[in-house]
Amino acid sequence: MRYYYNPKTCQYAKVLGVNDRTGIATVIIDNKKDEMDWDEFISEFKQLRDKDERSN
């Protein structure tokens, strides 16, 4: 599961999945499950990398 952050609204989001055919993402923002267009979501939220993904 990937986590994202919106610096403008200070919100965190968790992406549960993305439907490749429709481009709709199922996300949890502020403990509320929602569906958003993936391109819209990714333009608002920036992916957070966990410590194991960071390169040295």
Side-chain angles (χ1 to χ4, degrees), residues 1 12-16 26-34 41 45:
M1 223 172 291
Y12 289 90
K14 178 170 37 173
V15 176
L16 301 178
T26 303
V27 299
I28 296 178
I29 302 171
D30 292 337
N31 294 316
K32 296 177 188 170
K33 188 175 177 181
D34 198 4
F41 175 82
F45 285 83

Side-chain angles (χ1 to χ4, degrees), residues 3-56:
Y3 294 87
Y4 295 79
Y5 177 70
N6 183 332
K8 292 181 182 176
T9 62
C10 297
Q11 291 177 304
Y12 289 90
K14 178 170 37 173
V15 176
L16 301 178
V18 179
N19 183 321
D20 292 331
R21 286 188 2 197
T22 64
I24 300 296
T26 303
V27 299
I28 296 178
I29 302 171
D30 292 337
N31 294 316
K32 296 177 188 170
K33 188 175 177 181
D34 198 4
E35 292 185 342
M36 289 183 73
D37 178 81
W38 176 247
D39 290 332
E40 179 184 342
F41 175 82
I42 210 68
S43 72
E44 296 176 16
F45 285 83
K46 307 303 175 209
Q47 183 176 339
L48 298 174
R49 294 184 353 183
D50 67 28
K51 63 183 178 183
D52 295 331
E53 291 182 294
R54 292 186 186 129
S55 58
N56 294 332

